[in-house]
Amino acid sequence: MTGPLREREDAHALLTAEAERARAGAGRLVVLRGATGTGRSAVLEAAAAHAAHLGLRVLRARCSPDDSALPFSSVLHLLGSVPEFADVGPGDDDRGSAARLWRLLRSYADETPLMVAVDDVHLADEASRRWFVEAARRIDRLPVLMVATERSQYDIDPRPAGLTHSLSPSVVRTHTLAPLTDDASADLVRAAFPTASDRWTADCVRAGAGSPLLLHALLDDLDGAPPPTAVPRTCAALYPGSYPAAVSWWLDSAGPATAEVARTLAALEQAERSDRTGRQPGDQADRIARRDRPDRGETAGAADGAGRAEGSVTRNAVPGPFFVPVPGPAPFLDAPHAALTAADPTDPTTTTECATAATETATETAAEAATDTLAALVADASGADPARVSGWFTAMTRLGVLRPDPAGRPRYAHPLLRDAVLGGWSTARRQDAHQAVAQAMLRRGDHLDAVARQLLGSAPAGLSWALRVLRDAATVAARDARRGDAVRYLRRALQEPLPDDLRQRLLTELGSLEYASADTPAGIPRLAEALDLPAAPRDQVRTAIALGTALVGRGEVRTAVEVLRRLEGRLVGHPDLARALQTASALLSDQDQTVRREAYRWLTDTAERSPELVGASGQALLVRYAATAGDLPAQEAMRRLRTLLTEPADPLAEPFLLGTAAAVAQWADELDEAERLVERGLAGQRPTLLHPMEQALLDTRWDIAAARGAYGALLDALPGRARGRRTGGGPVNADAHTLLALVETGRTQEARRLADTFDLRDTSDSWELNRFLYARGVLRFTEGDVAGALHDFLECGRRQSARAVLSPVVTPWRTAAAECRLALGNPQEALALATEELRLARVWNTPRTTGRALRVLGRATRGRRGLELGAEAVAVLRDSPAEAELVASLLAHGRQLTAAGERGRGRDHLREGAERAERLGSVRLLTYAEEALRTAGGRRTTPAHTGSGALTGSERRIAELAAEGRTNTEIAELLHVARRTVETHLTSAYRKLGIRRRGELRGVLDD
């Protein structure tokens, strides 16, 4: 044999031996079987060349379906090419024609030993096939080697019996050509591209699917784009297109039913590519297959290549170890369970072997279930026999065309192969297939996501079930924070024929989701289009609020307010809806000081004339406005808000009321109540509708965590969300909290990098900018840039004052600026700032604001009066939740006492402050405390990290109540805190006390 063929040595040896046998006068039929593309023709040609080399005369015929209508056409093609017998032709009598052709063959054999090479004998006409079978029975005493190639691939439509079906094994030798192993395929790739990496080679091997035909075609196409150019994922990147042509021929040879199944599988798999969320469709096999994994077909080249970078490519192995979860308990109750129970429990070897066998059996069972489920789905969608589809999956997996995913489900070996399989379908046919698969999934009760992904590729058909599935899937995806999926589903739903009111609602949802997914340019036009469509007034209000929220996010505050006011003018007869729009206008105006003044002036005037026109939510905003303006004490503000919360509220207006009340409660140090209001407000938000209070509630949640000094929680939660709503590039509230938390925890370099991210010169005015200026001022002060810090604090104050925000409840810029003035040697200016802040703080009258102002004023006043103010600050903050402010006041007063000569009392304050700072996690305050102690000539005592002495006041109160036998719910009601707060404090107390059970509390607390 000339021209070495890879992994065909067995066939070469067989044909060589049979050729020698023919030379000795004993003939035989040899049938080379194999799937399409396994190289049957190449082996036959090599065998013919070798036979000619041995002196055999070679007669060749290549059968074709075009000649099937002409009897004996294949035999005539074989024998009629000899000039002296060119006039031989079939007569009316098949038996006579067969005999005459047999005599013709014998005449050839009388002259010289023969090799009769018949390619694709399965395509021969029936008369020729019968002649070949009969000849095989009679050539054993003739010097004739008859070699025929025959396709033996498993197809959806069963094929007729093969050539050897009626022959005795003694007169025929059959050899099946296996697909190429991965090692042999890799050798072919390296021979064509010697510099190819292992990863690139593995990618080619998978795309070749064990077929010499496909692999050679792929290498021909890649000749113009050798490595390191990536192996394409689509046929559009291939030139001249040998590979897709080879795949198309492979499908055509398999028949229309097989091609339909193959393409249906490809369409189903392609739809699953878009799923990057790890959602589990409803059936068991899908739950296994999609559990926390990417699409294997799409990432096979990268993942598998990486896995094989250090070693050879192995035969059709699934790369990397995968744990395949079992879909239910049943597999473990079958044979594996019997094996385990029958094993000797005292024999560790037996136990291990049984456990391994049980795992393997369970995995195989799960894989079989996954394959059967997929086969049933494909069969349903394509109209094929499920049993034949399942068998085809098995056959194609053995060939290498399909490879199992981690759940054992068959998938195309490479995305390029899948794309080539789909290439033979028109767009309309693909769309029909996706719809058929979606219908089949729906009938089986699959998960909404799975059905909806198929509908994404289908054409609009006006089917009610399709629209319902897409809408429901969008709702579920939005609820699960998979906005990208929800957007795709709604875009597809809008392609269906819809009435105007439904289109309006879907456009509103889609625009909201597009904006929330940072696709602002698409979201705003969608919302504007929705607002122009006829709809119920309540739906119009929802759309207007969503559009206004989006416009404000883009910095167009005045435009947003005008949109709401235009709609308000059309809501005659709907006072509740008009009030909701008024409240939304006031809230959205917070982003622009000029618009804000106008909005609150109108709201205030209206409330004075007719309070009922502004509603509960509008009155709540006025309470918040008065609180920030320094005109209302915290106790009165909370009294009014609690009264408003008891009034019936329209569902559209309730979020405004809850969000406003939560913000004021946080300022009033009612942190547990604020937290309950936040959670209640967020629970009422619709994930598919854009609403300004959603972000406001999230901002209040961050404010609550910061007020509690939960720096670790802030840093864990904020970075991924800090830029979720930013469209103009400016900082948001989350950035300010992140910056402050980084400073407090001693990570000033990270804080500096975050601060330098923003160029505040071009940032539009907003309360978030003011808060970030304050945070950056704290960073600059910590870094030693006192002048820069003072500039930030004063600029924050200037901007807040322009917005009529005078109270220190939002940002205490005056005391911060006063500390800068003290550091710069300007005590008189510091005294004026601190005095004004104390005046405003006493109006609001909460420990946090009052204690802070007293602390700074005490430092600015100095002398005996300064000591009194410092002591008052500590006393005011003792029972407040403002732990960080208490620590700062302890340290400030400790230094005051030390400077006044009361070193003992001063060191006590400094030590307490250091211990509290450490428990709080404030590296900045702890560093300050330790420096102050060294200056005072003292040392830190070892803090009590464990034992009853380590408990905070809140932890001790809750632990004592729990020790008395009270439940968590009772403790929460008694102390007016959230149950979660009780649980958190108890967990911390258990850890410090070294106990695990509630019953142990009394003993350790008594000690």
Side-chain angles (χ1 to χ4, degrees):
M1 232 182 244
T2 60
L5 299 174
R6 298 185 186 275
E7 297 187 330
R8 299 296 181 251
E9 293 81 4
D10 291 347
H12 170 66
L14 171 63
L15 293 172
T16 298
E18 292 300 328
E20 294 290 350
R21 189 170 182 273
R23 289 179 64 191
R28 182 175 285 164
L29 169 64
V30 176
V31 178
L32 297 175
R33 308 180 69 191
T36 301
T38 49
R40 301 186 312 268
S41 298
V43 174
L44 182 63
E45 287 300 317
H50 184 65
H53 178 71
L54 294 177
L56 277 69
R57 185 173 185 176
V58 180
L59 303 179
R60 292 182 174 87
R62 177 163 294 162
C63 304
S64 168
D66 296 335
D67 299 330
S68 59
L70 181 64
F72 296 107
S73 60
S74 297
V75 181
L76 287 174
H77 180 64
L78 182 75
L79 302 177
S81 59
V82 181
E84 57 266 34
F85 297 105
D87 61 340
V88 176
D92 295 334
D93 182 8
D94 283 354
R95 291 177 61 87
S97 298
R100 192 174 180 191
L101 291 170
W102 171 250
R103 290 195 298 271
L104 185 59
L105 177 65
R106 289 201 58 169
S107 67
Y108 278 117
D110 289 343
E111 296 178 2
T112 183
L114 296 178
M115 175 184 175
V116 177
V118 184
D119 200 10
D120 291 337
V121 72
H122 55 283
L123 299 177
D125 61 277
E126 284 300 319
S128 294
R129 286 172 60 85
R130 289 194 300 270
W131 190 90
F132 291 139
V133 170
E134 187 60 30
R137 293 192 179 103
R138 302 166 64 182
I139 61 173
D140 58 329
R141 296 184 181 181
L142 296 177
V144 178
L145 170 61
M146 183 182 294
V147 182
T149 68
E150 186 176 55
R151 183 179 181 276
S152 60
Q153 185 169 307
Y154 188 98
D155 296 317
I156 299 300
D157 286 338
R159 292 285 181 174
L163 187 67
T164 62
H165 177 69
S166 60
L167 290 175
S168 169
S170 62
V171 300
V172 63
R173 296 288 300 274
T174 302
H175 182 83
T176 301
L177 300 178
L180 293 178
T181 64
D182 284 358
D183 285 337
S185 297
D187 289 341
L188 284 172
V189 175
R190 294 190 185 100
F193 298 99
T195 62
S197 66
D198 287 346
R199 176 174 177 174
W200 194 89
T201 299
D203 224 7
C204 287
V205 168
R206 292 184 72 95
S211 168
L213 170 72
L214 298 185
L215 185 57
H216 283 296
L218 175 63
L219 296 177
D220 288 344
D221 284 342
L222 295 178
D223 189 47
T229 304
V231 176
R233 291 304 193 250
T234 64
C235 294
L238 295 178
Y239 181 81
S242 300
Y243 182 82
V247 173
S248 179
W249 181 80
W250 173 78
L251 283 173
D252 289 343
S253 69
T258 298
E260 182 80 5
V261 166
R263 286 171 175 143
T264 301
L265 175 64
L268 188 151
E269 186 178 331
Q270 186 183 54
E272 291 182 353
R273 287 187 311 162
S274 61
D275 182 28
R276 295 292 182 266
T277 65
R279 290 289 303 170
Q280 297 91 357
D283 61 280
Q284 291 180 338
D286 279 340
R287 281 200 299 272
I288 300 167
R290 305 204 61 82
R291 187 169 297 161
D292 297 327
R293 68 171 180 87
D295 181 83
R296 289 291 301 161
E298 197 63 22
T299 59
D304 301 335
R308 292 171 175 164
E310 300 300 326
S312 63
V313 186
T314 57
R315 168 79 187 114
N316 292 348
V318 179
F322 288 95
F323 171 71
V324 183
V326 180
F332 290 105
L333 301 178
D334 202 1
H337 178 74
L340 284 171
T341 55
D344 181 0
T346 63
D347 185 352
T349 303
T350 303
T351 303
T352 302
E353 290 175 351
C354 289
T356 302
T359 302
E360 291 175 351
T361 304
T363 300
E364 292 173 1
T365 303
E368 290 173 1
T371 301
D372 290 344
T373 300
L374 182 61
L377 174 60
V378 173
D380 191 357
S382 61
D385 179 359
R388 297 294 298 181
V389 173
S390 182
W392 187 79
F393 284 172
T394 301
M396 294 304 102
T397 301
R398 289 181 63 86
L399 289 176
V401 174
L402 303 178
R403 299 200 181 199
D405 67 5
R409 295 192 311 176
R411 287 289 183 262
Y412 281 99
H414 194 275
L416 183 63
L417 177 57
R418 179 184 64 223
D419 189 66
V421 169
L422 277 174
W425 261 358
S426 65
T427 300
R429 188 64 193 87
R430 292 192 194 192
Q431 291 173 337
D432 290 344
H434 284 297
Q435 181 177 313
V437 171
Q439 282 183 294
M441 286 181 162
L442 191 64
R443 284 193 293 268
R444 295 192 318 153
D446 280 5
H447 194 278
L448 279 172
D449 267 350
V451 182
R453 279 196 302 275
Q454 294 298 328
L455 288 173
L456 291 177
S458 67
L463 300 172
S464 59
W465 66 265
L467 180 60
R468 184 176 65 253
V469 166
L470 289 166
R471 292 187 65 191
D472 291 347
T475 300
V476 171
R479 184 192 63 202
D480 294 345
R482 295 182 291 110
R483 289 171 176 158
D485 286 342
V487 165
R488 286 192 289 274
Y489 298 150
L490 286 176
R491 285 175 179 170
R492 172 62 184 81
L494 282 164
Q495 295 174 10
E496 296 287 332
L498 302 169
D500 283 344
D501 58 343
L502 180 54
R503 181 172 296 277
Q504 194 269 354
R505 291 196 295 273
L506 294 185
L507 280 170
T508 300
E509 294 180 3
L510 177 58
S512 298
L513 289 167
E514 285 176 331
Y515 177 84
S517 303
D519 192 3
T520 308
I524 291 178
R526 303 262 194 203
L527 293 168
E529 180 184 356
L531 194 59
D532 289 338
L533 289 174
R538 186 169 294 273
D539 289 334
Q540 288 182 318
V541 170
R542 289 193 182 100
T543 303
I545 291 175
L547 178 57
T549 305
L551 288 169
V552 168
R554 203 165 66 176
E556 301 179 26
V557 181
R558 186 170 293 279
T559 303
V561 173
E562 289 173 355
V563 166
L564 298 181
R565 287 178 179 169
R566 280 199 301 270
L567 179 59
E568 181 187 342
R570 303 201 302 266
L571 293 176
V572 179
H574 299 279
D576 289 345
L577 300 180
R579 284 195 291 268
L581 285 177
Q582 294 162 6
T583 306
S585 298
L587 183 70
L588 292 173
S589 70
D590 277 345
Q591 300 296 328
D592 184 285
Q593 57 179 280
T594 303
V595 181
R596 184 177 189 270
R597 281 197 302 269
E598 297 172 1
Y600 278 95
R601 186 184 302 119
W602 178 90
L603 196 64
T604 302
D605 293 343
T606 304
E608 290 176 354
R609 294 193 310 270
S610 305
E612 70 281 359
L613 294 180
V614 299
S617 57
Q619 293 179 49
L621 282 178
L622 289 175
V623 170
R624 191 190 71 164
Y625 184 82
T628 58
D631 297 335
L632 195 67
Q635 187 175 3
E636 175 62 16
M638 290 306 301
R639 185 193 67 76
R640 294 184 187 179
L641 288 172
R642 287 168 182 148
T643 300
L644 292 172
L645 286 168
T646 63
E647 298 180 5
D650 185 271
L652 281 175
E654 186 178 36
F656 297 104
L657 176 59
L658 292 173
T660 303
V664 176
Q666 185 272 133
W667 294 338
D669 288 344
E670 299 288 350
L671 301 185
D672 291 328
E673 184 174 357
E675 192 169 50
R676 287 195 295 271
L677 290 168
V678 166
E679 298 308 319
R680 180 180 163 190
L682 289 174
Q685 290 293 307
R686 289 179 57 180
T688 56
L689 284 178
L690 196 59
H691 198 286
M693 283 316 303
E694 179 182 2
Q695 189 59 43
L697 289 163
L698 291 174
D699 284 327
T700 302
R701 179 187 277 174
W702 314 141
D703 295 344
I704 293 169
R708 286 180 168 147
Y711 307 124
L714 283 168
L715 293 176
D716 288 341
L718 290 174
R721 306 186 182 201
R723 292 162 183 79
R725 296 273 182 150
R726 182 182 300 116
T727 58
V732 296
N733 185 42
D735 293 311
H737 282 307
T738 301
L739 193 59
L740 289 171
L742 289 171
V743 171
E744 289 298 329
T745 54
R747 296 155 63 176
T748 54
Q749 291 184 346
E750 294 178 55
R752 170 48 55 194
R753 286 195 293 272
L754 175 59
D756 292 343
T757 302
F758 305 101
D759 185 355
L760 303 186
R761 292 172 296 182
D762 299 326
T763 301
S764 58
D765 178 66
S766 70
W767 68 269
E768 291 174 303
L769 172 60
N770 299 340
R771 182 159 289 183
F772 191 80
L773 282 168
Y774 176 83
R776 191 177 70 174
V778 173
L779 170 63
R780 284 179 164 177
F781 189 86
T782 305
E783 292 175 327
D785 181 9
V786 181
L790 178 61
H791 173 272
D792 281 346
F793 293 140
L794 293 177
E795 180 63 15
C796 171
R798 183 188 69 78
R799 289 174 175 271
Q800 284 201 170
S801 298
R803 299 165 62 86
V805 178
L806 305 179
S807 175
V809 296
V810 180
T811 46
W813 64 270
R814 294 181 184 84
T815 47
E819 291 189 293
C820 291
R821 293 293 191 189
L822 287 173
L824 292 172
N826 299 316
Q828 291 303 317
E829 296 179 15
L831 185 63
L833 287 166
T835 300
E836 177 63 10
E837 179 136 323
L838 180 59
R839 183 188 71 80
L840 292 167
R842 289 197 186 280
V843 172
W844 184 243
N845 199 29
T846 58
R848 184 190 306 275
T849 54
T850 303
R852 179 186 175 92
L854 286 168
R855 166 172 59 82
V856 178
L857 183 59
R859 290 190 58 214
T861 302
R862 300 181 183 177
R864 178 55 55 184
R865 179 55 182 162
L867 284 172
E868 292 173 354
L869 292 170
E872 186 180 356
V874 172
V876 165
L877 289 165
R878 279 289 183 191
D879 294 324
S880 79
E883 185 73 7
E885 293 296 345
L886 174 58
V887 172
S889 294
L890 284 167
L891 299 181
H893 192 48
R895 296 197 69 165
Q896 284 179 306
L897 290 170
T898 301
E902 299 184 43
R903 302 175 69 84
R905 288 182 58 204
R907 286 194 291 266
D908 289 343
H909 278 71
L910 294 174
R911 288 192 184 100
E912 182 185 356
E915 292 170 7
R916 286 179 177 271
E918 185 173 50
R919 287 200 298 268
L920 188 64
S922 175
V923 175
R924 181 182 68 87
L925 290 174
L926 179 59
T927 302
Y928 180 81
E930 290 175 339
E931 290 177 355
L933 273 171
R934 285 194 295 270
T935 302
R939 294 184 305 173
R940 277 190 65 199
T941 57
T942 302
H945 294 291
T946 59
S948 60
L951 299 179
T952 65
S954 298
E955 289 169 349
R956 176 171 286 278
R957 283 196 301 273
I958 290 173
E960 288 173 347
L961 290 171
E964 293 173 3
R966 298 181 185 270
T967 66
N968 291 355
T969 301
E970 291 172 342
I971 296 172
E973 293 174 352
L974 186 65
L975 298 180
H976 302 290
V977 298
R979 175 172 174 159
R980 188 172 64 179
T981 302
V982 174
E983 293 168 350
T984 301
H985 284 317
L986 276 178
T987 300
S988 177
Y990 287 174
R991 186 182 67 252
K992 292 178 181 180
L993 296 172
I995 61 175
R996 294 186 177 183
R997 290 184 295 274
R998 207 181 192 93
E1000 301 176 66
L1001 277 170
R1002 175 55 59 194
V1004 294
L1005 288 175
D1006 290 342
D1007 292 342

